[in-house]
Amino acid sequence: MFALLVLFVSLLWHPISMIVFLIVFVGWIFFYLSRAEPLVVFNRTVDDRAVLIALGVVTIVALVLTRVWLNVLVSVLTGGLIVGLHATFRVSDDLFLDEEEAADV
């Protein structure tokens, strides 16, 4: 989630690219993430791999045509670095509750 926020902020200075990014994002949600049944086009079932490949190609073409691929790459790497640092320094000792401690409370 944080990586998408960093990507969104990096696209604020490129409004056309942001519009294209949002259109591609809606395409991903509609065609790949929110479907429970297979995609049917002209009474033929389209495999999920074909949808995944097509959406990947559309995403790459959109990044290249809007000339923000370097900006997106740097923002995704920055978001990944921040998420990695968070995972490294997070203390997870207090996340688990011992059953005996729960019974005493």
Side-chain angles (χ1 to χ4, degrees):
M1 184 72 164
F2 186 76
L4 284 176
L5 179 67
V6 171
L7 177 62
F8 178 75
V9 169
S10 72
L11 290 176
L12 282 177
W13 290 270
H14 305 279
I16 300 297
S17 300
M18 184 182 295
I19 292 169
V20 170
F21 173 73
L22 289 175
I23 290 171
V24 170
F25 184 68
V26 167
W28 273 94
I29 289 175
F30 180 73
F31 288 116
Y32 193 72
L33 299 175
S34 68
R35 287 185 301 111
E37 66 277 345
L39 182 65
V40 177
V41 178
F42 299 122
N43 293 329
R44 301 193 128 209
T45 303
V46 180
D47 188 30
D48 279 342
R49 285 182 288 171
V51 174
L52 181 66
I53 290 170
L55 286 171
V57 168
V58 167
T59 303
I60 291 171
V61 167
L63 288 175
V64 170
L65 290 180
T66 57
R67 296 187 185 107
V68 292
W69 64 272
L70 183 61
N71 190 13
V72 170
L73 179 66
V74 169
S75 64
V76 167
L77 290 176
T78 302
L81 177 72
I82 292 171
V83 168
L85 285 173
H86 170 70
T88 302
F89 293 117
R90 182 173 182 219
V91 179
S92 62
D93 294 338
D94 297 336
L95 292 178
F96 300 103
L97 183 63
D98 190 22
E99 291 180 14
E100 293 175 12
E101 291 177 16
D104 291 340
V105 174

